[in-house]
Amino acid sequence: MTAAPTLPGTVTVRVPAKVNLQLKVGQRRADGYHDLATVFQAVSLHDQVSVARWDAWEVVPSGTYAAGIPTDEGNLAVRAAKLVAERCHIDESLSIRIDKDIPIAGGMAGGSADAAATLLACDQLWGLGLDRDEMASMAAELGSDVTFPLHGGTAMASGRGEQIAPVLARGTFYWVFAVSDQGLSTPAVYAECDRLRERSGERVPSPEIDAELMGALRQGDAVALGRALHNDLEPAAFSLRPELKELRDAGVDFGALGGMVSGSGPTVAFLTASHEAALDLSVSLAAADVAGDLRRAKGPVHGAHVVTGSRD
């Protein structure tokens, strides 16, 4: 990715995207959220977030998906920086530069990853020495998916998705991500999930991760993992965007070990047997003209970490 120009005293953090290997969605709670059980895996699509002291708050977009980065106070990275400043009684403005290689509004926690990176970068820039619990508390306040990018690897999440526990995963898994040029609203997908369940009279059990998935991860068995991939939000995403089902089915027909919508979509994730198989699948999907933006990645990878910079 193209790096944004840096300012003196800049701290830069590299942070990964995620894919949900399983996403089980419970009933809608009184607070409007749903209880979740999910297994995240961090994959090798990364954003870099750089923070530096500045005379006013600003967001400087850069990278593959720069055009979609909000530059106002609604940007989750800005909210993360201001939350740290408020909690730690710091009265400074920052320039936040985002080199974006994680798809935007794609179900891969792109905005959440940037928020997590900003928390870590601010801690380093301001020399706060925040512990894991303090950072996790702020991450959970910002959003359900913000905590996981701080951890990376493979992890199980519960609650709204903010309660994280590491999961043993052996080996490396190879992915192809078919990225849509049109986003899907996460609230709209959850609302459609609720509507479809109400219409069918479906009894919604407490969300639990399947033992088959956990076993596949422990054994590093990509074939078994492909069979265990599952997303309760997928029918809702297909209902709102029927072409996503056609894309998922095409990828499986072309040899993917498994395919599913990632998170609330619209990115469709395909697990493959190897790096070479991922290349072959990408070529097949492109030739069939069923997917435009195709990205390959592997996982698990490390979570957010400082790559340059020190406080001054």
Side-chain angles (χ1 to χ4, degrees), residues 1 26 29 47 95 99-100 127 130 151 174 177 187 196 216:
M1 77 183 82
R29 308 188 317 199
D47 284 358
S95 173
D99 294 320
K100 178 151 279 298
L130 297 172
H151 295 259
Y174 296 90
F177 296 100
L196 292 174

Side-chain angles (χ1 to χ4, degrees), residues 46-302:
H46 293 89
D47 284 358
Q48 288 195 168
V49 177
S50 302
V51 302
R53 296 176 176 88
W54 198 236
D55 55 6
W57 288 96
E58 69 169 7
V59 175
V60 180
S62 183
T64 306
Y65 300 104
I69 298 174
T71 57
D72 58 15
E73 293 191 356
N75 187 299
L76 199 56
V78 175
R79 290 170 52 195
K82 290 188 173 183
L83 179 60
V84 176
E86 178 186 350
R87 288 277 182 90
C88 300
H89 310 292
I90 293 170
D91 186 16
E92 289 185 339
S93 301
L94 298 179
S95 173
I96 303 174
R97 299 171 182 242
I98 302 174
D99 294 320
K100 178 151 279 298
D101 199 43
I102 301 174
I104 293 173
M108 300 185 74
S112 296
D114 295 342
T118 302
L119 293 175
L120 184 57
C122 288
D123 178 52
Q124 177 76 10
L125 179 74
W126 288 325
L128 302 173
L130 297 172
D131 63 31
R132 180 179 293 270
D133 289 342
E134 290 172 309
M135 207 168 292
S137 173
M138 285 188 278
E141 185 172 333
L142 290 163
S144 301
D145 284 348
V146 179
T147 306
F148 173 69
L150 294 169
H151 295 259
T154 305
M156 183 184 296
S158 56
R160 293 185 287 114
E162 82 285 5
Q163 300 170 25
I164 302 292
V167 167
L168 174 63
R170 301 185 187 279
T172 300
F173 299 95
Y174 296 90
W175 297 91
V176 174
F177 296 100
V179 181
S180 174
D181 59 2
Q182 179 185 352
L184 258 180
S185 160
T186 296
V189 173
Y190 274 94
E192 181 69 359
C193 177
D194 291 338
R195 187 188 72 81
L196 292 174
R197 285 172 165 178
E198 183 178 353
R199 188 180 70 180
S200 68
E202 175 186 349
R203 186 186 69 83
V204 181
S206 297
E208 293 184 359
I209 298 300
D210 295 343
E212 291 80 3
L213 180 95
M214 304 302 286
L217 289 169
R218 286 194 300 271
Q219 297 165 24
D221 186 337
V223 174
L225 181 61
R227 290 195 300 264
L229 297 177
H230 177 81
N231 182 358
D232 279 354
L233 293 178
E234 192 172 64
F238 288 166
S239 175
L240 295 171
R241 296 273 298 279
E243 71 275 14
L244 296 179
K245 184 178 187 303
E246 297 174 11
L247 172 58
R248 193 277 311 272
D249 292 347
V252 173
D253 288 343
F254 286 137
L257 299 177
M260 63 177 176
V261 171
S262 180
S264 58
T267 298
V268 178
F270 298 103
L271 180 65
T272 67
S274 65
H275 172 71
E276 292 75 19
L279 284 171
D280 290 344
L281 178 61
S282 297
V283 170
S284 296
L285 289 169
D289 199 25
V290 293
D293 188 4
L294 294 163
R295 308 297 304 278
R296 295 186 302 276
K298 63 182 179 180
V301 299
H302 295 297

